[in-house]
């Protein structure tokens, strides 16, 4: 059964790139996209995705806060943070908020698919 | 200006001399008049002086008022021109103060604008360029997965490596421009990170004492961070210190920041003069740009302590 994914990133361009990349694994299906934290929480409540790919963009509501809220409302949903920020502090904050992994955007081709598999199959 | 003053000086002396001359004439006229009409005993002496051998003496006594008039006039003129000079000096001094104040204001505006510009550039680099590069890396990753041909694979991998390197370079630039975590996490973790890096890169023992529970206004946070950064740079470069302490504390109405090292110290006047560095001057500008003050206590052999005090109510519109 394919895994249902919610993409959260303020850049439409990046979401398109990511979506295309995820086509490599036919088991993955992007079911919704959000531009920011608020929208992500609402869509997560609505769709109950298996996985959220979360940007850390520091906006009105940042990715860490959105991660915390989604995990609180939907504990079964897994969250992976994708970000340009290589900061230990963000890593630990993301982990504390309930994110299962923290991947730098330039490392996505090397690490994301493997990470998704291990995180979601642990759940299975 | 100087010319008119010179001729003015002479003119008053000449007026003085003229008055003196008039008095002299009056004296001569009246003395003769008197000699003819008044009590002979009183004018006897004067008459005696009018005798031939004393004519010269009498004349010079009579002309004496001319000289006095001349000198009094000159003196008066000099006093007057001194007064003018003093007045001009006062004006110049006032103008210099005003210019200095305007210059200070300008420096403060520049230092704030500089910081705001860095913030803007870093945001654009992050939101635009880093984001797009990541997108390119993703697309190349996708192509690598769907194109089997080994030659193409090789090129796509090279492309990925290049783009990755660029992202890493960009990340370094972003952090140099402005510490990434300052805005989201605040001054304490940012200084913590900086101090930790300093300890790793030098052999100097460093301690951070943060007595600050709350976030400060953004302009204040970046200013304090820059001052500490600059001060620690100097410690690393010159102090030959064994230990350095960075302390940030909150009073009822001000924030105090102290950077104290136990190194070799320096001659402050010389350090500011014959070295063409900007560090100390920048620290002062930054502190003052948000209404604060800076005090550098150092002497050769006695370590260096930099203390910055910033009133809490002073940042104004600067949002760092
Ligand atoms: N903590 C310190 N211990 C010993 N000497 C110091 C210390 N801080 C500053 N100095 C001396 O003061 C001089 C002026 O410092 P300043 O930071 O203004 O300029 P700089 O470091 O030489 O140049 P820049 O900061 O522009 O790179 C230094 O050259 C150094 O000799
Ligand atoms: Mg310096």
């Amino acid at each position: 059964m394919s895994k249902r994914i919610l993409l959260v990133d303020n850049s439409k361009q990046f979401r398109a790139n990511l979506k295309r990349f995820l086509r490599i694994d036919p088991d993955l299906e992007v079911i919704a996209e959000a531009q920011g934290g608020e929208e992500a929480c609402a869509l997560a409540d609505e769709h109950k995705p298996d996985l959220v790919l979360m940007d850390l963009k520091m906006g009105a509501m940042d990715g860490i806060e959105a991660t915390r809220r989604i995990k609180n409302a939907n504990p079964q949903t897994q969250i992976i943070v994708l970000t340009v920020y290589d900061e230990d502090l963000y890593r630990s904050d993301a982990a504390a908020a309930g994110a299962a992994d923290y991947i730098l955007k330039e490392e996505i081709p090397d690490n994301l698919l493997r990470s998704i598999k291990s995180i979601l199959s642990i759940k299975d | 200006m100087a010319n008119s003053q010179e001729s003015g000086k002479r003119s008053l002396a000449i007026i003085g001399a003229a008055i003196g001359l008039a008095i002299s004439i009056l004296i001569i006229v009246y003395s003769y008049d008197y000699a003819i009409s008044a009590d002979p005993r009183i004018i006897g002496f004067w008459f005696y002086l009018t005798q031939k051998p004393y004519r010269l003496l009498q004349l010079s006594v009579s002309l004496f008022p001319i000289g006095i008039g001349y000198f009094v006039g000159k003196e008066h003129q000099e006093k007057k021109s001194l007064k003018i000079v003093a007045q001009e000096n006062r004006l110049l001094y006032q103008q210099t103060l005003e210019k200095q104040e305007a210059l200070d204001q300008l420096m403060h505006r520049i230092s704030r604008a500089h910081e705001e510009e860095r913030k803007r550039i870093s945001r654009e680099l992050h939101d635009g360029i880093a984001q797009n590069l990541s997108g390119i890396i993703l697309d190349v990753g996708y192509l690598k997965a769907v194109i089997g041909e080994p030659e193409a694979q090789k090129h796509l991998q090279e492309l990925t490596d290049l783009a990755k390197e660029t992202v890493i370079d960009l990340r370094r630039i972003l952090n140099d421009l402005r510490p990434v975590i300052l805005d989201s996490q605040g001054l304490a973790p940012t200084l913590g990170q900086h101090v930790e890096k300093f300890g790793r890169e030098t052999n100097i023992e460093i301690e951070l004492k943060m007595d600050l529970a709350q976030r400060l206004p953004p302009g204040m946070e970046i200013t304090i961070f820059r001052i500490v950064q600059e001060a620690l740079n100097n410690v690393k470069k010159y102090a030959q210190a064994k230990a350095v302490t960075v302390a940030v504390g909150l009073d009822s109405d001000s924030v105090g920041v102290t950077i104290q090292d136990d190194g070799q110290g320096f001659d402050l006047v010389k350090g500011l003069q014959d070295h063409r560095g900007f560090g100390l001057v920048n620290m002062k500008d930054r502190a003052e740009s948000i209404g604060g003050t800076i005090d550098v206590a150092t002497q050769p052999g006695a370590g260096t302590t930099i203390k910055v005090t910033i009133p809490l109510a002073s940042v104004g519109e600067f949002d760092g």
Side-chain angles (χ1 to χ4, degrees), chain B residues 230-241 259-268 270-283 296 298 303-306:
Chain B
E230 195 74 59
L232 288 181
N233 249 341
N234 282 347
V235 173
K236 181 155 84 180
K237 279 201 285 186
Y238 314 111
Q240 295 185 320
I259 306 101
Q260 178 167 24
D261 72 63
D262 64 353
Q264 59 183 1
F266 65 106
D267 182 334
L268 184 58
K270 253 169 76 188
L272 281 173
Q273 273 169 1
D274 41 70
H275 218 94
R276 307 251 154 198
F278 285 112
L280 290 168
V281 178
N282 267 343
M283 281 188 241
V296 181
T298 183
T304 301
T305 302
I306 294 175

mmCIF file of all heavy atoms in Angstrom, chain B residues 230-241 259-268 270-283 296 298 303-306, ligand 1:
data_model
loop_
_atom_site.group_PDB
_atom_site.id
_atom_site.type_symbol
_atom_site.label_atom_id
_atom_site.label_comp_id
_atom_site.label_asym_id
_atom_site.label_seq_id
_atom_site.Cartn_x
_atom_site.Cartn_y
_atom_site.Cartn_z
ATOM 1 N N GLU B 230 33.544 40.999 17.794
ATOM 2 C CA GLU B 230 34.701 41.854 17.516
ATOM 3 C C GLU B 230 35.729 41.776 18.647
ATOM 4 O O GLU B 230 36.937 41.660 18.410
ATOM 5 C CB GLU B 230 34.185 43.294 17.376
ATOM 6 C CG GLU B 230 35.138 44.270 16.765
ATOM 7 C CD GLU B 230 35.286 44.077 15.277
ATOM 8 O OE1 GLU B 230 34.287 44.160 14.561
ATOM 9 O OE2 GLU B 230 36.430 43.824 14.846
ATOM 10 N N ALA B 231 35.238 41.822 19.871
ATOM 11 C CA ALA B 231 36.134 41.781 21.028
ATOM 12 C C ALA B 231 36.863 40.435 21.089
ATOM 13 O O ALA B 231 38.082 40.389 21.326
ATOM 14 C CB ALA B 231 35.352 42.027 22.317
ATOM 15 N N LEU B 232 36.138 39.353 20.849
ATOM 16 C CA LEU B 232 36.774 38.031 20.904
ATOM 17 C C LEU B 232 37.756 37.850 19.750
ATOM 18 O O LEU B 232 38.781 37.176 19.898
ATOM 19 C CB LEU B 232 35.709 36.922 20.881
ATOM 20 C CG LEU B 232 34.896 36.779 22.164
ATOM 21 C CD1 LEU B 232 33.890 35.629 22.044
ATOM 22 C CD2 LEU B 232 35.800 36.535 23.374
ATOM 23 N N ASN B 233 37.462 38.466 18.619
ATOM 24 C CA ASN B 233 38.414 38.466 17.505
ATOM 25 C C ASN B 233 39.744 39.050 17.936
ATOM 26 O O ASN B 233 40.805 38.508 17.638
ATOM 27 C CB ASN B 233 37.866 39.337 16.375
ATOM 28 C CG ASN B 233 37.470 38.511 15.187
ATOM 29 O OD1 ASN B 233 37.922 37.367 15.065
ATOM 30 N ND2 ASN B 233 36.641 39.059 14.329
ATOM 31 N N ASN B 234 39.674 40.177 18.620
ATOM 32 C CA ASN B 234 40.892 40.829 19.107
ATOM 33 C C ASN B 234 41.607 39.971 20.147
ATOM 34 O O ASN B 234 42.829 39.886 20.139
ATOM 35 C CB ASN B 234 40.564 42.206 19.698
ATOM 36 C CG ASN B 234 40.354 43.247 18.612
ATOM 37 O OD1 ASN B 234 40.674 43.019 17.450
ATOM 38 N ND2 ASN B 234 39.813 44.393 18.990
ATOM 39 N N VAL B 235 40.835 39.349 21.018
ATOM 40 C CA VAL B 235 41.449 38.481 22.026
ATOM 41 C C VAL B 235 42.226 37.371 21.320
ATOM 42 O O VAL B 235 43.368 37.071 21.646
ATOM 43 C CB VAL B 235 40.383 37.877 22.973
ATOM 44 C CG1 VAL B 235 41.019 36.846 23.899
ATOM 45 C CG2 VAL B 235 39.709 38.972 23.786
ATOM 46 N N LYS B 236 41.586 36.801 20.306
ATOM 47 C CA LYS B 236 42.224 35.709 19.563
ATOM 48 C C LYS B 236 43.493 36.194 18.874
ATOM 49 O O LYS B 236 44.518 35.527 18.889
ATOM 50 C CB LYS B 236 41.221 35.169 18.532
ATOM 51 C CG LYS B 236 41.741 34.018 17.708
ATOM 52 C CD LYS B 236 40.609 33.151 17.174
ATOM 53 C CE LYS B 236 40.024 33.683 15.894
ATOM 54 N NZ LYS B 236 38.926 32.839 15.384
ATOM 55 N N LYS B 237 43.426 37.391 18.286
ATOM 56 C CA LYS B 237 44.551 37.874 17.484
ATOM 57 C C LYS B 237 45.712 38.411 18.317
ATOM 58 O O LYS B 237 46.865 38.223 17.972
ATOM 59 C CB LYS B 237 44.074 38.990 16.523
ATOM 60 C CG LYS B 237 43.402 38.454 15.265
ATOM 61 C CD LYS B 237 43.407 39.476 14.134
ATOM 62 C CE LYS B 237 42.395 40.583 14.357
ATOM 63 N NZ LYS B 237 42.271 41.514 13.241
ATOM 64 N N TYR B 238 45.396 39.140 19.392
ATOM 65 C CA TYR B 238 46.464 39.901 20.061
ATOM 66 C C TYR B 238 46.709 39.582 21.524
ATOM 67 O O TYR B 238 47.793 39.824 22.035
ATOM 68 C CB TYR B 238 46.177 41.403 19.988
ATOM 69 C CG TYR B 238 45.762 41.908 18.640
ATOM 70 C CD1 TYR B 238 44.468 42.346 18.407
ATOM 71 C CD2 TYR B 238 46.682 41.951 17.589
ATOM 72 C CE1 TYR B 238 44.085 42.813 17.163
ATOM 73 C CE2 TYR B 238 46.295 42.419 16.347
ATOM 74 C CZ TYR B 238 44.996 42.843 16.138
ATOM 75 O OH TYR B 238 44.615 43.306 14.917
ATOM 76 N N ALA B 239 45.689 39.129 22.245
ATOM 77 C CA ALA B 239 45.789 39.170 23.709
ATOM 78 C C ALA B 239 46.794 38.172 24.282
ATOM 79 O O ALA B 239 47.404 38.432 25.307
ATOM 80 C CB ALA B 239 44.410 38.929 24.325
ATOM 81 N N GLN B 240 46.995 37.036 23.614
ATOM 82 C CA GLN B 240 47.770 35.942 24.188
ATOM 83 C C GLN B 240 47.255 35.618 25.580
ATOM 84 O O GLN B 240 48.032 35.492 26.538
ATOM 85 C CB GLN B 240 49.253 36.315 24.226
ATOM 86 C CG GLN B 240 49.816 36.488 22.824
ATOM 87 C CD GLN B 240 51.298 36.741 22.803
ATOM 88 O OE1 GLN B 240 51.824 37.475 23.633
ATOM 89 N NE2 GLN B 240 51.979 36.144 21.855
ATOM 90 N N ALA B 241 45.963 35.523 25.667
ATOM 91 C CA ALA B 241 45.320 35.291 26.962
ATOM 92 C C ALA B 241 45.218 33.799 27.242
ATOM 93 O O ALA B 241 45.253 32.971 26.338
ATOM 94 C CB ALA B 241 43.930 35.920 26.963
ATOM 95 N N ILE B 259 33.509 41.889 28.347
ATOM 96 C CA ILE B 259 34.426 40.899 27.778
ATOM 97 C C ILE B 259 35.779 41.138 28.431
ATOM 98 O O ILE B 259 36.384 42.194 28.244
ATOM 99 C CB ILE B 259 34.564 41.031 26.241
ATOM 100 C CG1 ILE B 259 33.192 40.979 25.573
ATOM 101 C CG2 ILE B 259 35.445 39.920 25.690
ATOM 102 C CD1 ILE B 259 32.646 42.312 25.163
ATOM 103 N N GLN B 260 36.228 40.172 29.233
ATOM 104 C CA GLN B 260 37.428 40.389 30.019
ATOM 105 C C GLN B 260 38.446 39.294 29.742
ATOM 106 O O GLN B 260 38.150 38.107 29.896
ATOM 107 C CB GLN B 260 37.046 40.385 31.502
ATOM 108 C CG GLN B 260 38.235 40.561 32.422
ATOM 109 C CD GLN B 260 37.817 40.861 33.842
ATOM 110 O OE1 GLN B 260 36.695 40.509 34.256
ATOM 111 N NE2 GLN B 260 38.677 41.509 34.603
ATOM 112 N N ASP B 261 39.664 39.714 29.331
ATOM 113 C CA ASP B 261 40.702 38.705 29.125
ATOM 114 C C ASP B 261 41.889 38.961 30.046
ATOM 115 O O ASP B 261 42.082 40.061 30.545
ATOM 116 C CB ASP B 261 41.128 38.657 27.647
ATOM 117 C CG ASP B 261 41.951 39.861 27.221
ATOM 118 O OD1 ASP B 261 43.054 40.064 27.762
ATOM 119 O OD2 ASP B 261 41.491 40.612 26.317
ATOM 120 N N ASP B 262 42.674 37.907 30.283
ATOM 121 C CA ASP B 262 43.829 38.042 31.176
ATOM 122 C C ASP B 262 45.128 38.101 30.363
ATOM 123 O O ASP B 262 46.169 37.657 30.808
ATOM 124 C CB ASP B 262 43.867 36.874 32.169
ATOM 125 C CG ASP B 262 44.087 35.540 31.469
ATOM 126 O OD1 ASP B 262 44.080 35.525 30.211
ATOM 127 O OD2 ASP B 262 44.263 34.525 32.151
ATOM 128 N N GLY B 263 45.048 38.659 29.169
ATOM 129 C CA GLY B 263 46.192 38.689 28.264
ATOM 130 C C GLY B 263 47.125 39.849 28.518
ATOM 131 O O GLY B 263 47.154 40.427 29.606
ATOM 132 N N GLN B 264 47.871 40.208 27.458
ATOM 133 C CA GLN B 264 48.955 41.171 27.651
ATOM 134 C C GLN B 264 48.496 42.630 27.638
ATOM 135 O O GLN B 264 49.289 43.517 27.918
ATOM 136 C CB GLN B 264 50.009 40.968 26.572
ATOM 137 C CG GLN B 264 49.457 41.141 25.162
ATOM 138 C CD GLN B 264 50.494 40.862 24.091
ATOM 139 O OE1 GLN B 264 51.625 40.514 24.412
ATOM 140 N NE2 GLN B 264 50.124 41.033 22.842
ATOM 141 N N GLY B 265 47.231 42.874 27.340
ATOM 142 C CA GLY B 265 46.749 44.261 27.329
ATOM 143 C C GLY B 265 47.438 45.082 26.249
ATOM 144 O O GLY B 265 48.244 44.577 25.470
ATOM 145 N N PHE B 266 47.128 46.360 26.185
ATOM 146 C CA PHE B 266 47.760 47.217 25.194
ATOM 147 C C PHE B 266 47.607 48.683 25.575
ATOM 148 O O PHE B 266 46.871 49.026 26.490
ATOM 149 C CB PHE B 266 47.204 46.949 23.791
ATOM 150 C CG PHE B 266 45.736 47.296 23.631
ATOM 151 C CD1 PHE B 266 45.352 48.426 22.923
ATOM 152 C CD2 PHE B 266 44.752 46.489 24.178
ATOM 153 C CE1 PHE B 266 44.008 48.740 22.761
ATOM 154 C CE2 PHE B 266 43.406 46.801 24.023
ATOM 155 C CZ PHE B 266 43.038 47.920 23.318
ATOM 156 N N ASP B 267 48.356 49.509 24.874
ATOM 157 C CA ASP B 267 48.266 50.950 25.087
ATOM 158 C C ASP B 267 47.075 51.458 24.281
ATOM 159 O O ASP B 267 47.126 51.490 23.053
ATOM 160 C CB ASP B 267 49.577 51.602 24.617
ATOM 161 C CG ASP B 267 49.574 53.104 24.861
ATOM 162 O OD1 ASP B 267 48.477 53.705 24.914
ATOM 163 O OD2 ASP B 267 50.675 53.665 24.999
ATOM 164 N N LEU B 268 46.033 51.848 24.977
ATOM 165 C CA LEU B 268 44.769 52.159 24.309
ATOM 166 C C LEU B 268 44.902 53.287 23.295
ATOM 167 O O LEU B 268 44.434 53.195 22.161
ATOM 168 C CB LEU B 268 43.704 52.512 25.356
ATOM 169 C CG LEU B 268 42.295 52.761 24.803
ATOM 170 C CD1 LEU B 268 41.788 51.558 24.046
ATOM 171 C CD2 LEU B 268 41.339 53.118 25.926
ATOM 172 N N LYS B 270 47.582 54.347 21.753
ATOM 173 C CA LYS B 270 48.357 53.900 20.599
ATOM 174 C C LYS B 270 47.565 52.915 19.747
ATOM 175 O O LYS B 270 47.562 52.987 18.524
ATOM 176 C CB LYS B 270 49.672 53.263 21.054
ATOM 177 C CG LYS B 270 50.868 54.165 20.770
ATOM 178 C CD LYS B 270 52.120 53.665 21.437
ATOM 179 C CE LYS B 270 52.738 52.472 20.727
ATOM 180 N NZ LYS B 270 53.850 51.905 21.529
ATOM 181 N N GLY B 271 46.868 52.022 20.434
ATOM 182 C CA GLY B 271 46.071 51.019 19.729
ATOM 183 C C GLY B 271 45.055 51.683 18.807
ATOM 184 O O GLY B 271 44.798 51.212 17.704
ATOM 185 N N LEU B 272 44.491 52.807 19.267
ATOM 186 C CA LEU B 272 43.497 53.498 18.450
ATOM 187 C C LEU B 272 44.159 54.317 17.354
ATOM 188 O O LEU B 272 43.614 54.494 16.276
ATOM 189 C CB LEU B 272 42.642 54.419 19.323
ATOM 190 C CG LEU B 272 41.533 53.742 20.130
ATOM 191 C CD1 LEU B 272 40.875 54.730 21.072
ATOM 192 C CD2 LEU B 272 40.494 53.129 19.203
ATOM 193 N N GLN B 273 45.366 54.838 17.662
ATOM 194 C CA GLN B 273 45.996 55.755 16.711
ATOM 195 C C GLN B 273 46.785 55.060 15.618
ATOM 196 O O GLN B 273 46.407 55.083 14.462
ATOM 197 C CB GLN B 273 46.908 56.737 17.448
ATOM 198 C CG GLN B 273 46.149 57.962 17.927
ATOM 199 C CD GLN B 273 47.000 58.788 18.870
ATOM 200 O OE1 GLN B 273 48.152 58.450 19.143
ATOM 201 N NE2 GLN B 273 46.442 59.868 19.356
ATOM 202 N N ASP B 274 47.901 54.405 15.997
ATOM 203 C CA ASP B 274 48.788 53.997 14.904
ATOM 204 C C ASP B 274 48.375 52.695 14.228
ATOM 205 O O ASP B 274 48.919 52.342 13.205
ATOM 206 C CB ASP B 274 50.259 53.956 15.343
ATOM 207 C CG ASP B 274 50.444 53.367 16.711
ATOM 208 O OD1 ASP B 274 50.243 52.146 16.863
ATOM 209 O OD2 ASP B 274 50.762 54.132 17.624
ATOM 210 N N HIS B 275 47.404 52.026 14.793
ATOM 211 C CA HIS B 275 46.895 50.880 14.050
ATOM 212 C C HIS B 275 45.673 51.337 13.276
ATOM 213 O O HIS B 275 44.834 52.023 13.802
ATOM 214 C CB HIS B 275 46.539 49.750 15.006
ATOM 215 C CG HIS B 275 46.895 48.418 14.449
ATOM 216 N ND1 HIS B 275 48.088 47.821 14.723
ATOM 217 C CD2 HIS B 275 46.235 47.604 13.611
ATOM 218 C CE1 HIS B 275 48.141 46.672 14.078
ATOM 219 N NE2 HIS B 275 47.022 46.516 13.391
ATOM 220 N N ARG B 276 45.614 50.921 12.045
ATOM 221 C CA ARG B 276 44.501 51.398 11.224
ATOM 222 C C ARG B 276 43.304 50.472 11.310
ATOM 223 O O ARG B 276 42.558 50.327 10.368
ATOM 224 C CB ARG B 276 44.945 51.546 9.768
ATOM 225 C CG ARG B 276 46.185 52.378 9.603
ATOM 226 C CD ARG B 276 45.844 53.708 8.977
ATOM 227 N NE ARG B 276 46.845 54.691 9.381
ATOM 228 C CZ ARG B 276 46.681 55.996 9.302
ATOM 229 N NH1 ARG B 276 45.577 56.484 8.846
ATOM 230 N NH2 ARG B 276 47.619 56.826 9.698
ATOM 231 N N GLY B 277 43.147 49.795 12.422
ATOM 232 C CA GLY B 277 42.048 48.842 12.576
ATOM 233 C C GLY B 277 40.726 49.539 12.801
ATOM 234 O O GLY B 277 40.663 50.708 13.164
ATOM 235 N N PHE B 278 39.673 48.790 12.604
ATOM 236 C CA PHE B 278 38.335 49.350 12.792
ATOM 237 C C PHE B 278 37.616 48.726 13.983
ATOM 238 O O PHE B 278 36.533 49.153 14.345
ATOM 239 C CB PHE B 278 37.492 49.125 11.529
ATOM 240 C CG PHE B 278 37.876 50.032 10.411
ATOM 241 C CD1 PHE B 278 38.485 49.537 9.270
ATOM 242 C CD2 PHE B 278 37.650 51.389 10.510
ATOM 243 C CE1 PHE B 278 38.853 50.378 8.238
ATOM 244 C CE2 PHE B 278 38.016 52.239 9.488
ATOM 245 C CZ PHE B 278 38.615 51.732 8.344
ATOM 246 N N GLY B 279 38.210 47.693 14.551
ATOM 247 C CA GLY B 279 37.502 46.929 15.576
ATOM 248 C C GLY B 279 36.994 47.773 16.726
ATOM 249 O O GLY B 279 35.792 47.805 17.003
ATOM 250 N N LEU B 280 37.913 48.455 17.406
ATOM 251 C CA LEU B 280 37.522 49.229 18.591
ATOM 252 C C LEU B 280 36.563 50.355 18.221
ATOM 253 O O LEU B 280 35.579 50.597 18.913
ATOM 254 C CB LEU B 280 38.768 49.793 19.273
ATOM 255 C CG LEU B 280 39.661 48.743 19.954
ATOM 256 C CD1 LEU B 280 41.011 49.329 20.343
ATOM 257 C CD2 LEU B 280 38.964 48.177 21.188
ATOM 258 N N VAL B 281 36.881 51.029 17.109
ATOM 259 C CA VAL B 281 36.018 52.126 16.663
ATOM 260 C C VAL B 281 34.615 51.612 16.336
ATOM 261 O O VAL B 281 33.608 52.218 16.702
ATOM 262 C CB VAL B 281 36.646 52.797 15.421
ATOM 263 C CG1 VAL B 281 35.743 53.903 14.909
ATOM 264 C CG2 VAL B 281 38.010 53.355 15.760
ATOM 265 N N ASN B 282 34.577 50.464 15.667
ATOM 266 C CA ASN B 282 33.280 49.859 15.333
ATOM 267 C C ASN B 282 32.471 49.516 16.573
ATOM 268 O O ASN B 282 31.267 49.731 16.615
ATOM 269 C CB ASN B 282 33.494 48.578 14.530
ATOM 270 C CG ASN B 282 33.449 48.847 13.050
ATOM 271 O OD1 ASN B 282 32.955 49.888 12.630
ATOM 272 N ND2 ASN B 282 33.965 47.922 12.263
ATOM 273 N N MET B 283 33.159 48.965 17.555
ATOM 274 C CA MET B 283 32.460 48.603 18.799
ATOM 275 C C MET B 283 31.814 49.835 19.404
ATOM 276 O O MET B 283 30.662 49.797 19.838
ATOM 277 C CB MET B 283 33.452 48.015 19.801
ATOM 278 C CG MET B 283 33.808 46.585 19.547
ATOM 279 S SD MET B 283 34.780 45.950 20.931
ATOM 280 C CE MET B 283 36.274 45.538 20.081
ATOM 281 N N VAL B 296 36.758 50.916 27.690
ATOM 282 C CA VAL B 296 37.832 49.950 27.502
ATOM 283 C C VAL B 296 38.886 50.193 28.577
ATOM 284 O O VAL B 296 39.470 51.270 28.644
ATOM 285 C CB VAL B 296 38.471 50.090 26.103
ATOM 286 C CG1 VAL B 296 39.578 49.059 25.925
ATOM 287 C CG2 VAL B 296 37.421 49.922 25.017
ATOM 288 N N THR B 298 42.404 48.933 29.883
ATOM 289 C CA THR B 298 43.537 48.068 29.561
ATOM 290 C C THR B 298 44.831 48.817 29.762
ATOM 291 O O THR B 298 44.858 50.054 29.734
ATOM 292 C CB THR B 298 43.462 47.578 28.103
ATOM 293 O OG1 THR B 298 44.549 46.679 27.854
ATOM 294 C CG2 THR B 298 43.560 48.739 27.123
ATOM 295 N N GLY B 303 45.969 42.801 30.953
ATOM 296 C CA GLY B 303 44.713 42.287 30.418
ATOM 297 C C GLY B 303 43.817 43.402 29.882
ATOM 298 O O GLY B 303 44.167 44.588 29.941
ATOM 299 N N THR B 304 42.688 43.005 29.349
ATOM 300 C CA THR B 304 41.782 43.985 28.757
ATOM 301 C C THR B 304 40.351 43.692 29.200
ATOM 302 O O THR B 304 39.916 42.543 29.179
ATOM 303 C CB THR B 304 41.853 43.902 27.215
ATOM 304 O OG1 THR B 304 43.202 44.144 26.796
ATOM 305 C CG2 THR B 304 40.931 44.928 26.566
ATOM 306 N N THR B 305 39.648 44.735 29.599
ATOM 307 C CA THR B 305 38.230 44.584 29.934
ATOM 308 C C THR B 305 37.411 45.592 29.144
ATOM 309 O O THR B 305 37.665 46.795 29.211
ATOM 310 C CB THR B 305 37.983 44.808 31.437
ATOM 311 O OG1 THR B 305 38.772 43.876 32.170
ATOM 312 C CG2 THR B 305 36.508 44.595 31.761
ATOM 313 N N ILE B 306 36.483 45.079 28.379
ATOM 314 C CA ILE B 306 35.596 45.953 27.620
ATOM 315 C C ILE B 306 34.209 45.854 28.234
ATOM 316 O O ILE B 306 33.675 44.754 28.395
ATOM 317 C CB ILE B 306 35.570 45.538 26.141
ATOM 318 C CG1 ILE B 306 36.953 45.793 25.535
ATOM 319 C CG2 ILE B 306 34.495 46.308 25.378
ATOM 320 C CD1 ILE B 306 37.096 45.327 24.119
HETATM 321 N N1 LIG C 1 42.154 42.208 23.823
HETATM 322 C C1 LIG C 1 43.279 42.783 23.354
HETATM 323 N N2 LIG C 1 44.501 42.441 23.861
HETATM 324 C C2 LIG C 1 45.630 43.023 23.376
HETATM 325 N N3 LIG C 1 45.653 43.951 22.408
HETATM 326 C C3 LIG C 1 44.486 44.343 21.876
HETATM 327 C C4 LIG C 1 43.240 43.781 22.312
HETATM 328 N N4 LIG C 1 42.236 44.382 21.616
HETATM 329 C C5 LIG C 1 42.829 45.256 20.790
HETATM 330 N N5 LIG C 1 44.186 45.248 20.920
HETATM 331 C C6 LIG C 1 45.144 46.134 20.230
HETATM 332 O O1 LIG C 1 44.440 47.244 19.737
HETATM 333 C C7 LIG C 1 44.652 47.404 18.345
HETATM 334 C C8 LIG C 1 43.398 47.939 17.679
HETATM 335 O O2 LIG C 1 42.365 46.954 17.639
HETATM 336 P P1 LIG C 1 41.220 47.059 16.558
HETATM 337 O O3 LIG C 1 40.292 45.927 16.779
HETATM 338 O O4 LIG C 1 40.668 48.432 16.620
HETATM 339 O O5 LIG C 1 41.981 46.918 15.186
HETATM 340 P P2 LIG C 1 42.572 45.593 14.515
HETATM 341 O O6 LIG C 1 42.115 44.388 15.252
HETATM 342 O O7 LIG C 1 44.036 45.775 14.395
HETATM 343 O O8 LIG C 1 41.919 45.640 13.076
HETATM 344 P P3 LIG C 1 40.444 45.115 12.683
HETATM 345 O O9 LIG C 1 39.665 44.904 13.961
HETATM 346 O O10 LIG C 1 39.866 46.204 11.840
HETATM 347 O O11 LIG C 1 40.659 43.861 11.947
HETATM 348 C C9 LIG C 1 45.085 46.048 17.875
HETATM 349 O O12 LIG C 1 45.926 46.141 16.762
HETATM 350 C C10 LIG C 1 45.808 45.478 19.067
HETATM 351 O O13 LIG C 1 47.150 45.899 19.057
#
